[in-house]
């Protein structure tokens, strides 16, 4: 175990840079709305960019007397409709980034609406609903398929991140992060090993998890078969 801890720590130091430069740890265990926003906007973006979108949504909801940190999918959809649809929502709360580099790719705000609608249709309206669905193989399969049908989410990479965002920071490990640990060390229990590395190095576990997830996303984008 000690050898695996040292090996994984070395890999993290090589790939992730200094902890001071890692993204702030992120989780929204009471807000499916923020989980959806973060998961849709995170790919290919600096973490500060996503944080700005999240904070604009929080500010918008506070101005309405709402609380973004307890919002469900229906609240997110309502916020889009209230400002006039995905286009104005993108301009005032989100940003104008498309879902991909393909010609005429829809805005991420459009994907966000489709994702929220798809989850609601499956009875997933809150972060608690998402956690429950993720724990049921059949429901999880349907939800994942619906999510992956949304523009820009085909690979399923953001589905795993969405589920992780709905957990408490200590609750689990994203499949992409687990894949990194297994690839680097071949651990039988990636979550336990990641915790051991964080403990020994004095690193925040959730920040380490987020840093690895972003590294894996960048690595995936660089692969010739990525899409």
């Amino acid at each position: 175990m000690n050898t695996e801890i040292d090996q994984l720590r070395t890999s993290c130091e090589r790939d992730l840079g200094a902890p001071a430069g890692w993204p702030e740890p992120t989780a929204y265990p009471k807000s499916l709305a923020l989980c959806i926003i973060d998961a849709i906007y995170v790919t290919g973006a600096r973490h500060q960019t996503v944080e700005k979108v999240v904070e604009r949504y929080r500010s918008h909801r506070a101005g309405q007397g709402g609380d973004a940190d307890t919002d469900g999918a229906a609240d997110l959809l309502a916020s889009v409709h209230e400002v006039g649809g995905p286009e104005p929502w993108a301009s005032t709360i989100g940003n104008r980034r498309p879902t991909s580099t393909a010609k005429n790719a829809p805005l991420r705000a459009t994907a966000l609406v489709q994702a929220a609608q798809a989850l609601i249709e499956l009875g997933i309206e809150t972060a608690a609903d998402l956690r429950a669905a993720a724990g049921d193989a059949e429901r999880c399969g349907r939800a994942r398929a619906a999510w992956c049908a949304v523009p820009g989410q085909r690979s399923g990479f953001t589905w795993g991140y969405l589920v992780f965002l709905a957990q408490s920071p200590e609750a689990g490990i994203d499949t992409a992060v687990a894949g990194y640990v297994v690839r680097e060390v071949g651990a039988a229990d990636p979550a336990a090993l990641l915790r051991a590395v964080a403990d020994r190095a004095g690193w925040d576990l959730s920040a380490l998890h987020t840093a690895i997830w972003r590294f894996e996303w960048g690595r995936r984008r660089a692969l010739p078969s990525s899409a």
Side-chain angles (χ1 to χ4, degrees):
M1 181 68 166
N2 285 332
T3 299
E4 290 181 335
I5 293 172
D6 291 338
Q7 289 176 345
L8 183 58
R9 179 175 180 175
T10 297
S11 296
C12 291
E13 290 173 339
R14 178 195 67 212
D15 295 332
L16 309 180
W22 295 351
E24 287 294 315
T26 305
Y28 314 105
K30 296 182 179 179
S31 177
L32 183 56
L34 293 182
C35 292
I36 294 170
I37 291 170
D38 199 317
I40 293 292
Y41 278 92
V42 70
T43 52
R46 293 179 297 178
H47 59 273
Q48 294 94 338
T49 299
V50 182
E51 289 168 1
K52 289 178 181 177
V53 175
V54 168
E55 287 310 311
R56 284 195 294 269
Y57 180 76
R58 281 191 171 121
S59 178
H60 172 75
R61 290 290 290 128
Q64 297 177 314
D67 182 0
D69 288 282
T70 59
D71 274 359
D75 299 304
L76 178 58
L77 285 181
S79 78
V80 176
H81 296 319
E82 285 162 3
V83 298
E87 287 274 346
W89 195 94
S91 298
T92 59
I93 300 173
N95 59 41
R96 304 291 300 177
R97 295 182 67 232
T99 53
S100 73
T101 57
K103 185 178 180 181
N104 298 323
L107 292 172
R108 295 194 182 210
T110 299
L112 176 147
V113 169
Q114 293 181 21
Q117 289 173 333
L119 293 176
I120 289 172
E121 288 172 4
L122 291 171
I124 300 172
E125 301 190 25
T126 68
D129 291 339
L130 179 61
R131 290 192 292 272
D136 180 309
E138 184 177 346
R139 288 187 69 199
C140 186
R142 291 198 300 269
R144 186 183 189 280
W147 179 270
C148 292
V150 173
Q153 318 310 312
R154 182 180 62 185
S155 70
F157 205 80
T158 58
W159 166 255
Y161 190 57
L162 175 81
V163 173
F164 181 79
L165 289 172
Q167 311 288 336
S168 64
E170 299 82 12
I173 181 171
D174 178 80
T175 54
V177 177
Y180 174 88
V181 175
V182 171
R183 187 176 70 247
E184 293 299 321
V185 183
D189 188 344
L193 183 57
L194 197 69
R195 286 193 296 272
V197 169
D199 288 342
R200 178 169 297 184
W203 295 337
D204 181 274
L205 176 60
S206 189
L208 174 61
H209 184 284
T210 302
I212 293 175
W213 190 91
R214 286 180 176 274
F215 174 80
E216 283 296 281
W217 170 252
R219 177 179 173 274
R220 185 185 186 92
R221 290 189 73 202
L223 293 175
S225 59
S226 64

